[in-house]
Amino acid sequence: MRKIVPVLLILFFLAGCRSSFKSNFRDFSAYYNTFYNAKKSYNLGVEKSLNQPRNYNTLQPIRVYETPLGAGGSDFQNAIDKGASILRKFDDTKWVDDALEIIGKSYYYRMEYFSADQKFDEQYITSTSDAMKQRAVFWKGRVLYEFQAHSQAIQYLTEQLAVFDGNWSGDLEFQVKTILAEHYIAEENWVIALDLLNEGIPGIPGRANKERGYFLIGQINEILGDPKAAFDAYDNVEKHYNVYELQFEAKKKKAEVARALGNSDEAFRVFSSMVRDDKNTEFVAELNFELGKTEQDRSNFDKAERIYQSILRDPFYKPSNITKAQVYNGLAEIYRFNNKDFTLAAAYYDSSARMNVSPDQLPDSYNAKELADSFGQYASIKNQIHEKDSLLWLGMLSPDEFDSVLTEIENRMVQEMERLRKEQEEQRNTLVNVNQSQNANNQIGTGTNGFLNVENPVLIAQAREQFNAIWQGRPLVDNWRVNELILNTIQSDSTFAQEESVNGANPAAQTLVNIDLSRIPFTASEQDSMRHEKSFLYYEIGNLFFLSLNLPDSAEFYFNKLLEEQPYSEVAPVTMYSLTELYTIQGQNVLAQARAQELVETFPNSIYADRLMDKFELERPDVEMEEGTDPITTFLALSSDNSLGYLERAQALSQFSISEPQNSVSDRALYESIQNYIRVAKSQPNFEDTLYTWQQMKKNWEDSLEHFQDEQELAKTVLADTTVTLAASDSLYYVSLIDSTLSEPDFAPYFPYYGEYWDSTRTTIEAFNTLFSLSGYSANVKTLEREFKLPEIAIPEAEMRDSTMAEPDNPVMDSDYLDCGEIREYPQIRGGIESFNARLELPGSIQEDVIEFLFFINSRGIIDEFKLNSDIENEDLVNAYVDAIDAHISFEPILVDGESRAIVCGIEFEIPTN
């Protein structure tokens, strides 16, 4: 009996533990057979994703939790497959929640956000673990960011923070607050975002996340105007070193903030140390710009200008287009604010604008294009004023004085012609030898420099300098040496003839100069007419300073100068009115009242007097009302009427000009009509993006052509070098390169000036050329005509702009379309999904949550065609989306191997709830 009892006890124990042992075994099998491999694949994918290089645009707030770029896709797919196997085979194990999580995160890194969102929702609903639920909340917050559903995310994450208040596991509360802050940043709610970042960043895991987090805190503090807090945040970035690029940018930001705090010496010290750091070689030009900017802020304008000029001329550290744009802008500011040379400022602003840099790569305060236009107008008007002053001065001279001045002008012109002739002779007869002694030993090249030193940029630059010094300017025609010999003979004969003329042998061969005297106003009426023309220019330049350049002191000077010289000219009433407005804006009410009174008394019947009588409660003096309105007054009233939009003003000015083309201001009115049509056309959605793409395409072509021509020149030099024996294959290569041509690509599909308002602009330009071909504005109009001329083989606007919906079930599929899923590149809506949703006009009752369309998108990001790709019977809903897509959607171009490509892609839209 004693032996039976232990046996029975063992049997009872085994019977009770059988189910527990079976459960533990299934958990063990699920982990080591499946989940272990899923986790291993997921970790490999994450490592590849995190190691993928990124470019940071630090002019915009960066992301703490970054958007995946697509690396590790196959590893994440393996993790999804293994995780799904757990859900099928081991659905009663403890690894189900972990499988759901790893599947959701893998979908996220594969940028399949809709599937990821579903898995995180499932994880939240099915899990009994608070930690699992909280991780699902965090990852759903990241998914919603990629959906750009920021309002929805803010509501959801705020609710979840309240649900788990005080019961958060580990560092998850800090992570959720950080992603919530990023949603607030997307909504530009900076204050709440900063509070959340200050709470969340210190507690989030990962050195890389903290590095980006403190950098973001610095950026938000800068936006909120707290440079001291920004400096401290950027200083914290250094304590969490992970990526050198961000460390570099943080140092730059620290120096910039120090400059903003008035500590320019500290800023200069930091930038100088960064220039000397060998790790920053590729950023030397950019850092030198910051040094120049610091000197400019310290009012060391001469030093700043020298630094800026050295950046542009440095042959070794060539600046990028972004740096060039900023350098030219800095030079323009020096000449604008310090040197008061608005003409050179206009030139530098124009050079800056011509760099064609995307606006989001430059500071918000950068507006070189607008300033180039405004200062260019100033320079043009100023030159016209100087010209008229000179002509008036000449016309008022006595006959003897006039003859003396004319003789002096003739002598100067003859001297200038002689100087140019001598320069041409020197260029023809001088052979320049540049660094011959230094380069004699480098003709063949070394192993490290490559054949003929083609791998040594310094020696190549020296060779190019020597080549250009000898041959630059030669005629690009056959037999040019013979032609040059003949030309030299003719020049020699001409020189001999001139020498004879000096000795009196051939007086007929003396140099003659022609001076046009037709524009000099000799009579009193001609002089009075020119003074009236000058008064009109005074008004224009004053108005330019007042409305465009925000320089009221300069505007006041020119307005008052006009009234002093021509108090009763046609533009005097509008000048007084402008002065009244200027004084009112500056709070000088006494001066404003005085000018208004003067206007009413001097020009009581003008429309400007009517406006000011109501505004200042003035009474009209007893005078007879004049019949009709002066054309100049009508034009000025239309031009300065701020109640009219650009389109209305363009139409009114055009109608005024065409109806009365004989008026003295009709050409100016039609020219301003063109300018206003251009402003309307430029304000249309997506124009800036389309223009940028077109300009970049042209620039890429010019760069490619320049590189190709350089290669051809190098090939010619190699073949002409008799000291080197080339292999047959090398010789054949160089000969074929010289004989090759580079075909210019077709830019027509990228032409940006399509649309109703660009058509109106071209029509108005055509009318101007017909009516006012001899106008002083003709040259400017011809320039605009060339710029906006349609390509010879232009794609019709309807094909470029409109989506074809006539046969939605049978889209015309182009073989050149790439599938976005295969290339793992997904199009981004220009302006963002929130902007698109705001334009939707949805019907009242909607049961659906999502709607999908299939898009055929060309290489410029424009929709060629789209069709419904989901089973939805709500016609009103479908029509609402079709109308909104047709009117408002275009995409950022997809780049594949550096080239924008056409793609086909199915895109799901989450239907917003009101």
Side-chain angles (χ1 to χ4, degrees), residues 258 377 687 700:
Q377 291 179 43
F687 169 73
N700 291 341

Side-chain angles (χ1 to χ4, degrees), residues 119-132:
K119 289 302 174 185
F120 293 131
D121 283 341
E122 187 177 348
Q123 177 184 340
Y124 185 93
I125 294 170
T126 61
S127 179
T128 58
S129 165
D130 281 350
M132 276 289 181

Side-chain angles (χ1 to χ4, degrees), residues 38 58 60 82 115 154 225 230 252 278 301 350 353 356 402 408 421 446 488 535 554 628 649 692 695 731 735:
T58 55
Q60 305 293 330
K82 296 294 184 181
S115 298
I154 289 170
K252 265 185 60 184
D278 292 340
F301 299 110
D350 184 63
N356 296 329
F402 181 80
E408 178 64 22
R421 185 187 65 79
T446 65
N488 283 335
S535 68
S554 299
R649 190 178 301 169
Y692 177 71
Q695 291 172 335
S731 178
V735 170

Side-chain angles (χ1 to χ4, degrees), residues 34 145 159 181 223 267 295 327 348 550 625 712 761 779 805 851 856:
T34 309
Y145 194 100
E159 289 174 354
I223 291 172
E295 292 289 24
V327 167
Y348 280 123
N550 194 26
M625 296 294 291
Q712 285 187 318
T761 302
M805 295 300 294
I851 184 171
F856 297 87

Side-chain angles (χ1 to χ4, degrees), residues 18 23 43 68 114 180 243 248 305 435 606 698 831 866 892:
R18 183 177 302 164
S23 174
N43 288 336
F114 183 75
L180 176 57
V243 177
F248 171 83
E305 184 177 359
N435 292 333
S606 67
K698 289 217 161 192
F866 67 100
E892 299 292 343

